[in-house]
Amino acid sequence: MDSILLLVQLLLFALSALGVAASDGMRGAREAHSLENLRNILLSLSLTLLVARLHPRWALWAARPLFFLALVLLGLNLVFGFGPSGERRFLDLPFVPFNLQPSELAKLAVPLYLAAFFHQKPADYPIIGPVMAIVLASGLILISPDLDTALFLLFLAGFLLLTIGVPARRLLAIMLSGGLVLLAFSGAFLERLQKARDRFESWQTYVSGRVNELSPELLRGPLYQITQAHKAIVNAGPLGQGLSARMPHIPESHNDFILASILWAGGWLAGAVLLLAWWLLLARGLQIAAHLEGAYSVLAVGLTLYLTLQAALNIAAVLGVIPIGGSPLPLVSVGGNAMLMAGVAMGLLHALAREAFKKEVRP
């Protein structure tokens, strides 16, 4: 096990437990999530320990079947899926003890698929096949509807392809073509993206400073969520209010907005520790990639981007820098699917670290 990666993971798990405990004590909390979170942490850590013992070549072997499985599940999700407000986010499959979220599997499958595709292939190899496959996955997610995750997959794939060395001009041309196909494919479903429009308009209202002009009755949905989160963050202070003080009501304070819960309980100091943990993960992941070659290096970069890009988007949304996107904070938010997929990703990074540094420990 890589000591730096393990330290980061344990730090994030500890902050997760702190944030969920603060959320459970929140004013108007409907149910407690600490036991569920503890279960998810233990399962995620178990997956990390298991995957870390395997050779990373198994990930390249399983990448294409895993990506195909993600596509199949995304298709089934459009028919049999369920979720809040008529959305199709989860599948209730037989013999699976929890509701499966195919989009979380797709996030992990994309970096594995691209690493496997470029295994023993040059960077100038035709890429229209994998790009269109990823556009298809994004389209299935978009019409579920989930605009934020669809865009995340495209950005993740784009960043990774640029890292591999695919010429930006060619990548842009293919992505634009794929984007046109995606729009045509999803045109009949665009009216279902009302939630995304509401989030963007609420963010515009907040950053324009017009919130104080609104009556309490108009502070609803995403606008209420972000104003309440910022009250908790500002009032937390350097060392936080602890778990004894009741946190202001914040919807999704155990999930998408768990950063506000962590800051309320542990203060800005806890926030600094959180940022330090993610910086360490980014730096270590890129260091591992620099010590590897070929598909393993691509895989290390992809897994690092998969985790840290999600974290950056979540933190930016909670702080009001970008519109609320609904992305969980990996290894911190309660969501079981996200926690388990992040545990697998961390296990792969541990395995890649062993390959990257094994020459340095030989006598």
Side-chain angles (χ1 to χ4, degrees):
M1 299 290 287
D2 185 82
S3 57
I4 296 178
L5 292 177
L6 184 60
L7 172 64
V8 167
Q9 196 165 0
L10 294 178
L11 273 176
L12 293 175
F13 282 154
L15 291 170
S16 175
L18 176 66
V20 174
S23 176
D24 288 349
M26 174 184 69
R27 293 189 181 94
R30 295 183 178 180
E31 57 181 318
H33 296 277
S34 288
L35 288 179
E36 176 189 358
N37 190 48
L38 178 60
R39 180 203 66 186
N40 293 342
I41 287 174
L42 292 176
L43 287 174
S44 180
L45 185 58
S46 299
L47 280 174
T48 297
L49 296 174
L50 175 63
V51 174
R53 296 178 63 86
L54 304 176
H55 195 283
R57 63 172 168 263
W58 78 266
L60 300 180
W61 174 83
R64 288 180 176 86
L66 186 67
F67 187 79
F68 179 75
L69 174 63
L71 287 177
V72 171
L73 291 175
L74 288 172
L76 291 175
N77 184 57
L78 295 180
V79 180
F80 303 107
F82 63 93
S85 305
E87 298 175 354
R88 299 184 183 274
R89 299 286 183 92
F90 301 95
L91 279 172
D92 187 7
L93 298 178
F95 311 112
V96 178
F98 56 89
N99 295 326
L100 186 66
Q101 191 172 2
S103 60
E104 290 297 331
L105 178 61
K107 291 178 184 178
L108 176 63
V110 163
L112 270 66
Y113 173 66
L114 288 178
F117 180 84
F118 283 97
H119 184 44
Q120 297 180 339
K121 290 186 177 72
D124 60 352
Y125 192 87
I127 61 168
I128 189 168
V131 169
M132 296 310 294
I134 292 169
V135 168
L136 174 60
S138 299
L140 293 173
I141 294 172
L142 175 65
I143 61 179
S144 61
D146 187 354
L147 175 63
D148 312 302
T149 303
L151 291 176
F152 175 80
L153 279 190
L154 293 177
F155 280 122
L156 176 61
F159 283 142
L160 191 52
L161 288 170
L162 287 174
T163 302
I164 291 170
V166 174
R169 184 182 305 173
R170 196 171 101 200
L171 177 60
L172 181 60
I174 295 177
M175 293 293 282
L176 285 176
S177 302
L180 292 175
V181 173
L182 182 59
L183 287 176
F185 179 61
S186 60
F189 299 89
L190 290 179
E191 70 276 4
R192 299 177 61 188
L193 298 176
Q194 183 62 43
K195 179 182 286 188
R197 289 195 292 268
D198 290 343
R199 287 173 171 174
F200 183 75
E201 291 171 359
S202 298
W203 175 75
Q204 280 187 314
T205 301
Y206 188 83
V207 298
S208 66
R210 300 198 307 268
V211 174
N212 295 331
E213 302 172 8
L214 301 178
S215 62
E217 293 77 15
L218 296 177
L219 292 176
R220 298 174 181 174
L223 191 56
Y224 174 80
Q225 197 170 18
I226 195 168
T227 52
Q228 288 294 101
H230 286 192
K231 287 179 183 177
I233 292 172
V234 170
N235 293 327
L239 300 179
Q241 301 295 320
L243 296 178
S244 58
R246 279 187 171 273
M247 186 175 70
H249 180 258
I250 305 172
E252 297 298 322
S253 58
H254 62 286
N255 202 348
D256 300 347
F257 271 71
I258 194 170
L259 174 62
S261 303
I262 293 171
L263 290 170
W264 171 263
W268 306 333
L269 178 61
V273 173
L274 180 78
L275 293 177
L276 175 62
W278 282 112
W279 181 85
L280 284 173
L281 179 57
L282 175 62
R284 190 58 168 177
L286 296 180
Q287 184 184 28
I288 292 169
H291 282 74
L292 294 169
E293 297 179 351
Y296 289 166
S297 180
V298 174
L299 184 56
V301 172
L303 293 170
T304 303
L305 285 176
Y306 156 65
L307 293 169
T308 56
L309 183 58
Q310 277 194 101
L313 292 173
N314 177 276
I315 293 170
V318 173
L319 296 179
V321 178
I322 61 174
I324 298 173
S327 295
L329 189 56
L331 299 171
V332 182
S333 295
V334 169
N337 285 270
M339 186 80 81
L340 295 182
M341 293 301 102
V344 173
M346 290 297 294
L348 279 170
L349 282 175
H350 281 287
L352 289 166
R354 184 175 61 249
E355 292 299 308
F357 303 117
K358 65 180 180 181
K359 295 180 180 179
E360 298 180 5
V361 299
R362 287 178 181 174

